[in-house]
Amino acid sequence: DIQMTQSPSSLSASVGDRVTFTCRASQDIGNSLAWYQQKPGKPPNLLLYAASRLESGVPSRFSGSGSGTDYTLTISSLQPEDFATYYCQQYYNTPPYTFGQGTKLQIK
Amino acid sequence: EVQLVESGGGLVQPGGSLRVSCAASGFTFSNYGMHWVRQAPGKGLVWVSRIHRDGSSTDYADSVKGRFTISRDNAKNTLYLQMNSLRAEDTAVYYCARLTDSMILRKHVFDIWGQGTMVTVSS
């Protein structure tokens, strides 16, 4: 199974900041990576797929990049509604569909 | 509106059984593979099971294999998860999720999620 590791596990930032999350796969996943945002008590919401493609309706301040085993999610200018937990998930070799453990973004 | 609504969660004793359901609306249910993903309290997302659009094939996480059974009724637009021999570690919110698959877009992701149903295994 492919293991996904996210860092950091939590991050504090302020409105307007630029923040970056990292996701590392245990093997090359060929850009087969999705990012989800989850707010407390809510289901996850798809943000990006194929590492860098923005899902319809997702604000353009979200962007993704990476290749091979290492990927990043960047929020260019944090908005109040962006404080949430972010998960990466690989779909290169499934099943299982494996998620990272999440990065919690908190208000500084 | 595209929607998934889970039901059937609750409190069950260790070793017991429970069936959770997921009612789909707003899209052609039979065109999509469907999945269950769970989240233990305060923990991350864990994939549980999937079923092909026509129900012809299924897969399970190792942690639930032999205990859980996924099924679907395309005439009723409903997905099910039968959970037997439940353990304390199965305690979680269970989400159903639609998988959207496009080779052209390289998109094979969970694009629609239900609100989840809580399953608590405790004596």
Side-chain angles (χ1 to χ4, degrees), chain A residues 30 38 53 55 91 97, chain B residues 39 50 105-108 110:
Chain A
Q38 187 180 32
R53 294 180 176 172
E55 175 70 352
Y91 52 93
Y97 295 75
Chain B
Q39 186 170 36
R50 73 172 177 184
L105 295 177
R106 298 195 63 198
K107 187 177 188 180
H108 186 80
F110 305 120

Side-chain angles (χ1 to χ4, degrees), chain A residues 1 29-34 36 38 41-46 48-50 53 55-56 87 89 91-92 94-101, chain B residues 6 35 37 39 42-48 50 59-62 95 99 102-116:
Chain A
D1 297 355
I29 58 170
N31 285 10
S32 296
L33 183 90
Y36 299 86
Q38 187 180 32
K42 298 294 186 182
N45 180 51
L46 176 65
L48 296 106
Y49 62 93
R53 294 180 176 172
E55 175 70 352
S56 176
Y87 293 94
Q89 177 239 318
Y91 52 93
Y92 181 78
T94 62
Y97 295 75
T98 45
F99 294 86
Q101 79 279 18
Chain B
E6 299 94 337
H35 295 242
V37 176
Q39 186 170 36
K43 303 297 184 182
L45 301 166
V46 177
W47 175 80
V48 173
R50 73 172 177 184
D59 289 287
Y60 300 92
D62 287 344
Y95 294 104
L99 186 94
S102 167
M103 289 186 65
I104 294 174
L105 295 177
R106 298 195 63 198
K107 187 177 188 180
H108 186 80
V109 294
F110 305 120
D111 65 338
I112 303 294
W113 297 68
Q115 289 298 308

Side-chain angles (χ1 to χ4, degrees), chain B residues 24-62:
Chain B
S25 59
F27 65 99
T28 304
F29 182 66
S30 58
N31 285 352
Y32 292 87
M34 295 297 296
H35 295 242
W36 289 98
V37 176
R38 69 184 181 184
Q39 186 170 36
K43 303 297 184 182
L45 301 166
V46 177
W47 175 80
V48 173
S49 181
R50 73 172 177 184
I51 187 166
H52 189 268
R53 64 192 68 171
D54 64 8
S56 60
S57 68
T58 59
D59 289 287
Y60 300 92
D62 287 344

